[in-house]
Amino acid sequence: MRFASRAISSLALGALVLALPLFCDAYWLDVCVSIGLYTLLALSLNVILGQAGIFHMGHAAFFAVGAYVTAILNTQAHWPIFAVLPAAGAASAVFALAVARPIIHLRGDYLLVVTIGIVEIVRIALLNDMGGLTGGANGVFGIARPVFFGFKIVKSVHFHYLVWGMVGVSLALFHSLWNSRFGRALNCIKEDDIAAECCGVDVARYKLTAFVLGAFWAGAAGTVYAAKMTTIAPESFNFMESVIIFAVVILSGGSQLGILASSFLFIGLPELLREFSSARMLIFGLAMMMMMIWRPQGLLPPGRRRYRIPGLSGAGGEAGG
Amino acid sequence: MSLLAVEEMTKVFGGLIAVDDLAFSVEEGSIMGLIGPNGAGKTTVFNCITGNYTPERGRIFFDGLPITGFKPHRIVELGIARTFQTIRLFARLPALENVLAGRHCRMRAGLLACMFHTPAQRQEEAAALERCMEELRFVGLAQRHDEAAGNLSYGNQRLLEIARALATDPKLLILDEPAGGMNHQETDALAETIRAIRERGVTVLLVEHDMRLVMRVCEKLVVLEHGALIAQGAPDAVRGDPAVIEAYLGAENDRW
């Protein structure tokens, strides 16, 4: 029953996203693209933070690596954007592997502090025009628009469908992943990593894989961001970005529908409340406090996985959901 | 050949010698008990075998293979499963998923197979599900497969831990005080379960305080005191051993 209601709301949300360009002007479509990008980032962070319970507050670093690899490969080597996308994802993944490998055994807030350090290191490296490639504080400009089978993606409405298409694919893939031995292993690690290790889960490897996968997705999101903006600068990947992505996942409660809802709340709501912009942070802080008191588990915690139980007829097999 | 052989094992915590030059072996297909007064180092021995601790000295052989210093998940893969003295279930996950966690190490689907739900992955998943339901049936919890592990009674949680351990296809199952917190009926049922586990061809090593249970099911006992072995042999012989009686009377009045 609860599952059915979630399926219906997902369908309704999908239809809404498809129909949005009908009644949004360019400005609001840009907001939609932005929400979509944050959803992508939050979905990828959700694998690490929501599913495996690893306190990782440096996701903007992976996003930045993807965006800069895109910018550099596109402007210097003239790779088309869609060819760069997997390369940017892979670069982020390799970067994540390198930086997460030595810190993966750290627990809770210790890891959190190191991941904050990673964002800062990346931002400062970019700012210092690393290798003469990142353009320092000015960043990189002149990034080409993506061309999709001869169709040039330029307008906000095009980007809207591109980003939300990617969100759709990600939702499907991450849902499958959640509903598999991989997803269960991550959940076990989150619940009790020692118990997980003792029943045969290679905890370090799974944590690392979660990092690498999340980084790949963040890198791919970076490609879309770079192509949308055509100009990127280090300040777009500062610590606050990491915090926002982190907060989106925490607020969501860890389910995919929750991520969508909290991306809308975090990115869309401030735009709707432009008039109160001076009180924005106040409202924000208050809302966070109220959440902590009344709904510490987040907006929508993930539902139960459903199993088709063999040989158990009737109610048993359909329970849960 | 013995399934598990511990040789000259020593484990030190700071200045405390928790296990002192211990040697014993577990025969394949047997039910062996490791007993001793509180603080004798039983659980430490356990943790060394399962890879949670690395002993300072000594070697551990499993099935002829040296496993000292292996990580716990590797040891589970090789065929040693354990339960915990203080229950460590995934309390918020349903009982079935706890058992599936044990099955994890016998499944092969990789990241991409899991993302795309390939036919092989679906097949493996279905087989794992069936096997895990069998394990739940084995311990009598099949009807409660959907209940969060944390909501089960204490005794049932212990049984669920056993089911989770069995799902890893162990050759050796190490039970750390499985009767803790159980009443008489539950303990009697547990004795039957342990025998049934042996009937399946799984060797059992039991660390236990409840002498009723130990005397009923174990074929051989190893007695520890202050981390050192003080007696071993058949339960009846050990029961009459003066060193054992002294160790126990000196510590606390366990019922014999």
Side-chain angles (χ1 to χ4, degrees):
Chain A
M1 293 138 277
R2 214 162 133 232
F3 176 79
S5 78
R6 281 195 184 200
I8 290 164
S9 37
S10 308
L11 277 177
L13 257 174
L16 179 71
V17 165
L18 283 178
L20 268 175
L22 292 177
F23 32 77
C24 281
D25 57 14
Y27 172 77
W28 282 104
L29 274 178
D30 272 344
V31 174
C32 289
V33 170
S34 185
I35 295 170
L37 272 171
Y38 275 99
T39 307
L40 272 180
L41 289 169
L43 282 173
S44 66
L45 180 62
N46 190 37
V47 177
I48 306 170
L49 173 63
Q51 299 296 310
I54 306 167
F55 284 168
H56 163 47
M57 213 190 247
H59 218 49
F62 302 147
F63 184 41
V65 170
Y68 268 86
V69 165
T70 306
I72 292 163
L73 281 179
N74 181 260
T75 57
Q76 312 257 333
H78 306 292
W79 286 29
I81 292 296
F82 281 114
V84 174
L85 191 122
S92 269
V94 170
F95 175 71
L97 187 65
V99 296
R101 184 77 190 79
I103 60 166
I104 203 71
H105 60 279
L106 294 178
R107 272 156 211 263
D109 22 4
Y110 298 100
L111 187 93
L112 186 97
V113 172
V114 181
T115 56
I116 293 172
I118 294 171
V119 195
E120 280 305 283
I121 290 168
V122 167
R123 189 182 63 88
I124 292 166
L126 295 173
L127 210 53
N128 286 336
D129 196 8
M130 197 181 65
L133 288 168
T134 67
N138 294 330
V140 184
F141 35 86
I143 301 156
R145 298 296 196 178
V147 180
F148 191 69
F149 291 114
F151 181 83
K152 197 166 183 194
I153 296 172
V154 185
K155 288 199 214 160
S156 295
V157 59
H158 303 157
F159 274 101
H160 174 81
Y161 284 118
L162 173 66
V163 169
W164 284 99
M166 283 173 73
V167 169
V169 171
S170 309
L171 286 170
L173 291 180
F174 284 143
H175 180 78
S176 298
L177 191 69
W178 170 77
N179 195 11
S180 74
R181 84 191 262 265
F182 193 95
R184 287 194 304 264
L186 293 186
N187 288 169
C188 291
I189 292 170
K190 180 184 183 178
E191 285 285 310
D192 182 343
D193 55 348
I194 294 176
E197 176 80 26
C198 288
C199 47
V201 178
D202 188 344
V203 171
R205 208 184 111 220
Y206 271 86
K207 280 185 173 180
L208 209 55
T209 313
F211 253 99
V212 169
L213 179 72
F216 183 94
W217 240 261
T223 299
V224 180
Y225 176 78
K228 170 79 176 76
M229 293 296 153
T230 67
T231 303
I232 54 170
E235 282 319 305
S236 313
F237 309 101
N238 60 24
F239 175 55
M240 240 353 251
E241 290 304 309
S242 283
V243 174
I244 291 173
I245 307 165
F246 191 90
V248 168
V249 175
I250 295 290
L251 179 72
S252 74
S255 70
Q256 312 223 65
L257 212 54
I259 298 257
L260 283 170
S262 78
S263 294
F264 270 100
L265 286 177
F266 259 88
I267 317 301
L269 208 57
E271 293 296 333
L272 286 171
L273 301 175
R274 275 245 171 246
E275 292 100 283
F276 315 103
S277 58
S278 55
R280 214 163 92 178
M281 289 323 260
L282 198 69
I283 297 170
F284 211 74
L286 207 63
M288 289 300 255
M289 274 163 59
M290 292 197 298
M291 282 292 293
M292 268 188 275
I293 295 167
W294 284 300
R295 210 164 162 78
Q297 73 273 41
L299 289 175
L300 276 172
R304 292 272 194 92
R305 293 180 181 82
R306 303 194 331 142
Y307 296 98
R308 206 167 286 131
I309 308 294
L312 210 78
S313 58
E318 280 303 310
Chain B
M1 194 186 70
S2 51
L3 184 64
L4 179 82
V6 173
E7 292 177 1
E8 299 158 16
M9 186 167 82
T10 299
K11 174 72 194 172
V12 182
F13 292 113
L16 179 84
I17 301 173
V19 180
D20 188 7
D21 201 25
L22 178 71
F24 68 91
S25 60
V26 182
E27 295 307 312
E28 189 156 7
S30 65
I31 301 178
M32 202 179 103
L34 185 63
I35 63 169
N38 279 332
K42 304 180 295 282
T43 299
T44 307
V45 171
F46 239 161
N47 281 328
C48 287
I49 297 171
T50 54
N52 295 73
Y53 296 155
T54 309
E56 265 70 37
R57 268 195 313 111
R59 290 177 305 275
I60 304 162
F61 291 92
F62 180 66
D63 230 356
L65 187 79
I67 58 165
T68 327
F70 279 22
K71 279 190 160 187
H73 73 263
R74 274 284 289 142
I75 290 177
V76 176
E77 260 180 58
L78 289 171
I80 302 182
R82 70 170 293 175
T83 65
F84 290 89
Q85 185 179 350
T86 49
I87 293 170
R88 291 193 92 133
L89 288 165
F90 307 110
R92 286 185 298 176
L93 302 183
L96 175 62
E97 279 187 28
N98 274 273
V99 185
L100 277 166
R103 197 65 196 155
H104 176 90
C105 65
R106 300 290 168 225
M107 297 167 79
R108 286 289 152 261
L111 178 62
L112 291 179
C114 288
M115 281 187 117
F116 291 96
H117 282 202
T118 57
Q121 190 269 352
R122 286 162 192 263
Q123 211 175 344
E124 183 183 73
E125 197 77 5
L129 204 59
E130 196 162 339
R131 171 63 192 272
C132 291
M133 283 308 293
E134 264 168 42
E135 295 302 348
L136 280 174
R137 227 164 276 142
F138 180 76
V139 297
L141 290 174
Q143 293 303 323
R144 319 191 65 173
H145 66 93
D146 202 38
E147 222 161 298
N151 294 346
L152 296 175
S153 74
Y154 208 67
N156 281 344
Q157 290 192 21
R158 292 221 175 268
L159 291 174
L160 183 57
E161 269 207 330
I162 293 175
R164 181 174 71 179
L166 285 171
T168 67
D169 270 344
K171 290 179 197 151
L172 173 67
L173 176 64
I174 307 186
L175 302 171
D176 198 354
E177 302 208 8
M182 283 191 177
N183 61 32
H184 273 331
Q185 284 99 323
E186 284 173 323
T187 306
D188 290 346
L190 180 69
E192 287 315 307
T193 306
I194 292 173
R195 287 205 193 94
I197 291 170
R198 196 259 307 270
E199 293 310 308
R200 290 171 49 169
V202 179
T203 309
V204 179
L205 176 58
L206 184 68
V207 167
E208 187 50 74
H209 250 100
D210 188 326
M211 287 307 151
R212 230 169 89 93
L213 179 67
V214 171
M215 290 299 160
R216 271 183 63 182
V217 301
C218 293
E219 288 141 7
K220 188 186 159 192
L221 291 180
V222 167
V223 191
L224 286 188
E225 195 196 7
H226 301 308
L229 187 142
I230 57 170
Q232 63 176 324
D236 285 331
V238 166
R239 191 202 296 249
D241 192 307
V244 176
I245 293 170
E246 197 190 315
Y248 267 87
L249 289 181
E252 61 173 0
N253 278 325
D254 260 294
R255 261 176 320 106
W256 279 80

